[in-house]
Amino acid sequence: MKSLPPTQLGLFLAIGLVAGLSSSQLAAGFGYSFLVSPNTLLAVLPVIAIGIYAASYPIYRYRKKTEKFEAGPRPTRPNPFYALRVLVIARAVALTGSLFSGWHLGQWIWLISFSVAPASLVLPTLLGLLGSAAMLGGGLLAEFNCRAPKDPGEGAE
């Protein structure tokens, strides 16, 4: 699997941004309360980022050991099914993090630009944006860790 193209991440970010802006405006227009993310979501987003990065670390460690391998016993290879599952989950986490980042960014832009809402809504929205960005970064780093090792002769030209 190739790594995620920036256009795909940008598309998910744009969809989230439009959804965040639109939902905030519609909620205010119909007289509903602002859709603020619950504290549990704000806490879980960085935990997901840490979890997926930790799950990809054995694959990263194997790749680094294999690239430095010269003689002696070969490093033990992680289960390929495990590596594929981690890669797929890392991609899903990156896309979801991009979508949530756009959502919280859209809400934050709406709060700053169009709203006279209380300032107590800005902090949870910013925390959601930071947590979503952490989730996006964790997914991208985990996907980077799942790359195949380089061949010994690669890059010698």
Side-chain angles (χ1 to χ4, degrees):
M1 283 181 143
K2 289 184 176 181
S3 63
L4 280 171
T7 55
Q8 192 173 16
L9 288 173
L11 178 68
F12 272 70
L13 185 85
I15 290 170
L17 180 82
V18 168
L21 273 167
S22 303
S23 66
S24 299
Q25 182 63 36
L26 283 172
F30 286 124
Y32 296 122
S33 63
F34 183 77
L35 302 170
V36 65
S37 297
N39 292 335
T40 53
L41 178 70
L42 302 180
V44 165
L45 293 176
V47 170
I48 291 173
I50 292 167
I52 192 63
Y53 183 77
S56 72
Y57 190 73
I59 303 162
Y60 170 77
R61 194 173 55 221
Y62 167 74
R63 182 171 50 97
K64 286 301 179 185
K65 285 181 182 177
T66 304
E67 288 172 356
K68 293 180 184 175
F69 175 74
E70 292 181 14
R74 292 192 61 83
T76 57
R77 186 173 71 159
N79 186 347
F81 293 115
Y82 172 78
L84 181 67
R85 286 183 197 119
V86 169
L87 177 63
V88 169
I89 293 171
R91 184 164 285 191
V93 165
L95 289 173
T96 307
S98 180
L99 193 65
F100 274 135
S101 293
W103 171 267
H104 286 105
L105 182 63
Q107 284 188 325
W108 184 74
I109 289 172
W110 185 84
L111 280 173
I112 297 301
S113 303
F114 305 115
S115 173
V116 290
S120 64
L121 296 175
V122 174
L123 182 63
T125 305
L126 280 178
L127 289 177
L129 181 60
L130 292 175
S132 302
M135 187 175 169
L136 172 62
L140 289 175
L141 286 174
E143 190 176 343
F144 178 77
N145 285 348
C146 291
R147 291 182 308 153
K150 293 179 184 174
D151 290 331
E154 192 175 322
E157 297 175 14

